[in-house]
Amino acid sequence: MYRYAYEKMLGIEGDSIMFNNGRKNICVILCDVADHYQEQVCRVLTSNARVKGYNLAYFSFFLTYGVDTKNGRGEANIINLIPYENFDGFIICHDTFQNKDAVRQMFQYIKERTKVPVITLRRPWEDYPCVLSKNDGSIRQLVQHFVDVHGFDKIAFLSGPKDHPDAIERLNEYKQGLESRNIPYDESMVYYGNFWRDRAKLAARYFAFDLKERPQAIMCANDYMALAVCNELISMGIMVPDDIAVTGYDDIWESTINMPPITTVKMQVEKMSQKAFESLEKMMNGEEVPKEQAVETKIAIRNSCGCEGMDIQAMLKKRVRQSQEHEKLLDLVQNNTYMFVEMSDVASAENLVEHVRLLETEDNFVEHFFICLGEGRGKIYPKYCSKKPGYPPQMKAIGSVLNRRVIDTACFETTELLPKEATTQEPMVYYFFPLHNLQDTFGYFAISYQGEHSCEQTFHSWIAILGNALENLRLKQKTHALLEELNNLYIHDALTGLLNRRGYENATREMYNKSITTHKSMVIFSIDMDNLKIVNDQFGHAQGDLALKTIANAMEYAASDGDLCARIGGDEFSAFGLNYEQEEAEEFLKRFHEYLAEFNHTSQLPYNVWASCGYCIISGIHDMTLEEAVIESDARLYQEKREKKEKFVETVLRKEES
């Protein structure tokens, strides 16, 4: 028996503050939430949580695209999002996981980071209390049914993977059933599938054509395989149950509307889930619960084993429902296709919410959702993208929808899971899924549904599209940044960082045209470093480069906001700006020469850095062209250079001579 008095042990008074509504929080961890079994579990737990007043957080991911892949690792990263310390109880459906490493890591986190009640569903883990589905010999009874009622002695078995616990248990029961009726076990009558339709089709052909003697019945370890076997046999002209009888396991809804309906073993999932919730609630209140509780399975006899006839009226009703669901599924697939196309052209992450298409229809039962991306470097989302396990400490919901209306939300701590604007006084039930591309994590997606509803069958592809869209945006940003860098290199001088000749010509033409439009004056400065050759020859090119960068620094020091500076080649420089008259131009030159004088005074270098300058002002009436202004500015520069040339040779070497 297990008793938890965890509030006293942790010194906690009152309820957890996560979700900010004062209610206790229950965490449910499971995989492939849209599958039949998981959907039933979620429906029961959600109903109980809403009635009993608990917040409920589901953490889920999908195995559709593999486990031991980069995508599989990106999916399983969801276990690193869970703020284990903030929950008051856990329900773990680890039998839905195929990623064993993720299961071990998850339970390790629980053990290290929290002391609250934990209950597992359908499969035990160490000493945690568990609610089990007790097979109670259902498959053995089906074998006996075939022998005793139908007189069969050639009964085949389509198993799951050899190492899967459920497959092992069900195969053993099949063997026990044969033994109980003195039928020898024949390994050739067993085919190992994967609990899915693809290998079941191969199994149907194996049993029908590859065996020396065709079996009278094929027992399948789950309903998905049974449905596929039925359909494949019928497509080959082998009638079920007249030629070969078929049974399944799980009693999924599709098995009731198949032609013929599938005889199967029914797990009482709703009863199991109810027991799990009630047991967790007792433990949270400090009460004792058994370490293990079992809910028995039941056999559902239908027409595929050759027993009951079909209720045509009931079948027609179910077929209508199936047709409606199929149409809805086609609409969802089409919706996802439109979403994929639209998102390929999204300009920013903030625009994603306009194209997720969750608000397009009223019958998807979506109430709230949040696209939560990590806070990181930069100003444009996605700011965070990491291959490492885990999530950043802060999140921003770049797409926030509350009551099916887009709202603005503030940044929040990742451990809070949702922005404060999402808080409601009634119990909050949310599903959390990883947002990633392959192994690269961007954040997560949180969604809440009306009533007991949950994710539809195409949700795994929908959320994969969202992850791919984020990756496309990231690549666009990276490409844009690279193009900006290349463009910067294309128009800027590598040594000084000023515009190069190409950038100079483009910028001066643009500024000249602007001056015409605004009727403002424009100035062109021509600047040439004095005696660069002497510095290079006597002190080396590194010193020459330093001298050139000093000229550039002096120009930027002298320039006003909006002015542009360029190195147009060798020791030649230029600066240009709008709204200059002679007074402003002379002030520019004064600041320029003051900077050089201060540098020469403090540099301790064996040479001085000076430059000759000229300028030309184009008036607001534009009485000269840009080309004429450049020629005039250059002419004044060379005039000044000639006047001081001989004197400057002595000046440039003055420090060395002293």
Side-chain angles (χ1 to χ4, degrees):
M1 305 294 282
Y2 280 72
R3 180 194 299 272
Y4 283 80
Y6 69 98
E7 288 188 353
K8 292 181 180 178
M9 182 165 56
L10 297 179
I12 298 173
E13 296 293 335
D15 299 323
S16 169
I17 62 171
M18 195 175 65
F19 292 160
N20 300 298
N21 63 2
R23 299 180 181 274
K24 288 183 178 179
N25 306 304
I26 296 175
C27 174
V28 181
I29 308 174
L30 72 172
C31 189
D32 287 338
V33 69
D35 274 7
H36 175 71
Y37 165 73
Q38 291 90 312
E39 187 273 332
Q40 292 180 81
V41 171
C42 294
R43 186 173 65 247
V44 173
L45 297 182
T46 296
S47 176
N48 274 274
R50 292 194 187 280
V51 170
K52 297 293 185 68
Y54 295 100
N55 296 323
L56 193 58
Y58 293 99
F59 293 87
S60 187
F61 63 97
F62 295 95
L63 299 175
T64 305
Y65 307 105
V67 175
D68 296 325
T69 62
K70 290 181 179 179
N71 187 79
R73 291 189 286 276
E75 288 283 301
N77 191 32
I78 192 71
I79 67 168
N80 295 297
L81 172 66
I82 304 169
Y84 296 87
E85 300 86 349
N86 293 346
F87 283 100
D88 301 286
F90 289 82
I91 298 175
I92 312 295
C93 305
H94 61 285
D95 66 307
T96 62
F97 284 55
Q98 292 180 31
N99 190 323
K100 308 304 180 188
D101 291 337
V103 171
R104 285 189 288 269
Q105 184 65 72
M106 173 181 63
F107 278 109
Q108 187 66 30
Y109 285 150
I110 291 173
K111 185 176 294 185
E112 293 174 350
R113 295 167 56 179
T114 184
K115 300 295 183 183
V116 300
V118 176
I119 192 162
T120 66
L121 194 60
R122 205 167 68 163
R123 187 173 300 162
W125 184 273
E126 295 182 353
D127 292 330
Y128 294 117
C130 179
V131 177
L132 300 168
S133 173
K134 187 178 181 182
N135 198 330
D136 199 30
S138 297
I139 290 181
R140 182 178 70 250
Q141 293 171 33
L142 276 178
V143 173
Q144 294 167 349
H145 173 79
F146 278 130
V147 176
D148 300 342
V149 176
H150 299 282
F152 294 166
D153 59 2
K154 293 183 287 293
I155 305 168
F157 191 78
L158 173 53
S159 182
K162 288 185 178 182
D163 60 347
H164 195 286
D166 290 341
I168 294 170
E169 179 187 29
R170 293 167 195 179
L171 178 58
N172 285 336
E173 281 213 8
Y174 160 76
K175 293 177 182 179
Q176 292 166 15
L178 294 177
E179 184 180 2
S180 71
R181 292 300 182 263
N182 298 315
I183 299 174
Y185 171 72
D186 182 356
E187 182 67 27
S188 68
M189 294 288 278
V190 175
Y191 191 97
Y192 291 93
N194 60 356
F195 286 138
W196 195 239
R197 304 174 193 268
D198 51 352
R199 288 191 60 80
K201 293 180 180 180
L202 299 176
R205 293 186 172 273
Y206 169 78
F207 290 131
F209 300 119
D210 294 352
L211 293 176
K212 291 181 180 180
E213 194 171 4
R214 183 178 290 175
Q216 297 158 307
I218 302 173
M219 300 181 64
C220 302
N222 79 350
D223 283 349
Y224 290 115
M225 295 193 295
L227 291 167
V229 165
C230 268
N231 292 335
E232 191 68 15
L233 289 174
I234 293 170
S235 71
M236 295 186 293
I238 301 170
M239 299 310 294
V240 178
D242 298 347
D243 298 324
I244 299 179
V246 175
T247 64
Y249 196 106
D250 287 339
D251 194 29
I252 64 175
W253 184 75
E254 291 93 325
S255 69
T256 68
I257 60 172
N258 189 64
M259 294 288 282
I262 302 295
T263 293
T264 187
V265 177
K266 177 181 177 63
M267 280 197 306
Q268 299 189 74
V269 179
E270 294 183 358
K271 191 172 181 180
M272 289 169 51
S273 305
Q274 184 69 34
K275 275 187 177 293
F277 190 93
E278 291 172 354
S279 297
L280 182 67
E281 188 176 30
K282 287 180 180 179
M283 289 190 288
M284 290 166 63
N285 292 327
E287 299 178 33
E288 295 181 349
V289 300
K291 180 180 178 182
E292 193 172 286
Q293 301 176 74
V295 177
E296 294 182 354
T297 57
K298 290 184 177 181
I299 295 175
I301 298 294
R302 300 191 182 110
N303 187 244
S304 70
C305 72
C307 285
E308 293 187 356
M310 289 183 286
D311 183 339
I312 300 300
Q313 189 65 31
M315 286 290 295
L316 286 174
K317 289 181 179 179
K318 290 178 180 179
R319 284 291 184 178
V320 170
R321 176 184 166 187
Q322 183 188 38
S323 177
Q324 292 172 340
E325 291 192 354
H326 181 66
E327 289 177 4
K328 184 176 180 180
L329 184 62
L330 290 177
D331 288 342
L332 289 170
V333 171
Q334 185 181 57
N335 214 41
N336 287 353
T337 302
Y338 290 154
M339 173 179 159
F340 175 79
V341 173
E342 290 173 7
M343 284 192 173
S344 65
D345 195 40
V346 169
S348 70
E350 288 83 348
N351 299 132
L352 287 176
V353 70
E354 302 172 11
H355 302 283
V356 295
R357 304 186 72 84
L358 287 178
L359 304 178
E360 297 292 315
T361 57
E362 293 295 328
D363 61 350
N364 60 8
F365 306 106
V366 173
E367 197 165 26
H368 324 298
F369 68 84
F370 300 89
I371 303 172
C372 304
L373 301 184
E375 283 287 286
R377 297 178 180 177
K379 298 180 179 180
I380 305 174
Y381 291 95
K383 297 180 180 180
Y384 174 87
C385 180
S386 176
K387 290 180 171 59
K388 297 179 180 179
Y391 291 77
Q394 284 196 317
M395 287 282 167
K396 168 68 175 176
I398 53 98
S400 299
V401 171
L402 194 66
N403 297 316
R404 299 182 71 86
R405 297 181 63 182
V406 178
I407 64 169
D408 292 326
T409 55
C411 293
F412 59 96
E413 298 296 318
T414 305
T415 53
E416 296 175 359
L417 295 177
L418 295 169
K420 287 183 172 57
E421 293 82 356
T423 300
T424 58
Q425 291 308 306
E426 62 269 15
M428 298 165 63
V429 177
Y430 275 87
Y431 293 81
F432 296 90
F433 300 92
L435 279 179
H436 67 101
N437 177 263
L438 298 179
Q439 201 172 343
D440 296 338
T441 294
F442 298 106
Y444 58 89
F445 182 75
I447 187 166
S448 181
Y449 295 89
Q450 299 168 14
E452 302 167 11
H453 298 281
S454 62
C455 307
E456 40 76 16
Q457 293 179 352
T458 67
F459 189 78
H460 67 275
S461 61
W462 181 92
I463 205 155
I465 291 170
L466 187 54
N468 289 342
L470 289 168
E471 174 66 2
N472 287 336
L473 282 170
R474 187 186 72 82
L475 291 176
K476 282 182 181 179
Q477 293 171 17
K478 188 175 181 180
T479 301
H480 180 71
L482 180 60
L483 288 174
E484 280 194 339
E485 184 179 350
L486 290 173
N487 184 59
N488 188 56
L489 292 173
Y490 183 72
I491 64 172
H492 285 83
D493 175 54
L495 176 66
T496 63
L498 304 182
L499 293 171
N500 59 20
R501 178 175 289 278
R502 186 180 294 107
Y504 162 78
E505 291 174 351
N506 293 338
T508 52
R509 177 58 58 187
E510 183 178 339
M511 187 169 284
Y512 180 74
N513 292 336
K514 184 177 181 180
S515 71
I516 293 175
T517 303
T518 59
H519 304 290
K520 291 181 179 179
S521 60
M522 176 180 173
V523 67
I524 295 283
F525 291 96
S526 295
I527 300 172
D528 193 81
M529 179 182 165
D530 294 328
N531 290 305
L532 173 63
K533 187 175 185 304
I534 294 175
V535 176
N536 281 332
D537 290 348
Q538 297 199 25
F539 307 109
H541 285 275
Q543 291 298 317
D545 289 346
L546 175 60
L548 291 170
K549 286 189 280 188
T550 302
I551 297 293
N553 293 339
M555 293 173 66
E556 291 183 321
Y557 173 79
S560 301
D561 290 342
D563 293 352
L564 296 173
C565 302
R567 179 190 177 201
I568 55 180
D571 55 2
E572 299 176 23
F573 295 82
S574 181
F576 42 101
L578 290 177
N579 216 22
Y580 269 77
E581 299 298 339
Q582 184 173 349
E583 182 179 350
E584 288 79 16
E586 291 295 333
E587 181 62 27
F588 176 98
L589 293 179
K590 178 183 177 183
R591 292 196 301 271
F592 175 77
H593 290 303
E594 284 177 350
Y595 183 94
L596 294 181
E598 179 65 19
F599 174 84
N600 292 329
H601 178 69
T602 60
S603 69
Q604 304 296 315
L605 293 172
Y607 58 86
N608 286 323
V609 178
W610 296 112
S612 300
C613 307
Y615 68 87
C616 179
I617 296 173
I618 303 173
S619 70
I621 61 173
H622 292 81
D623 49 357
M624 66 171 62
T625 66
L626 179 62
E627 290 74 14
E628 291 171 340
V630 171
I631 292 171
E632 177 67 22
S633 176
D634 286 347
R636 294 178 180 177
L637 159 69
Y638 293 128
Q639 180 181 349
E640 180 179 313
K641 205 168 185 68
R642 284 193 299 270
E643 291 175 355
K644 65 178 185 178
K645 186 174 182 180
E646 291 185 4
K647 177 183 177 182
F648 189 79
V649 172
E650 296 178 356
T651 306
V652 77
L653 300 178
R654 180 173 56 81
K655 287 189 177 183
E656 185 185 54
E657 292 171 351
S658 63

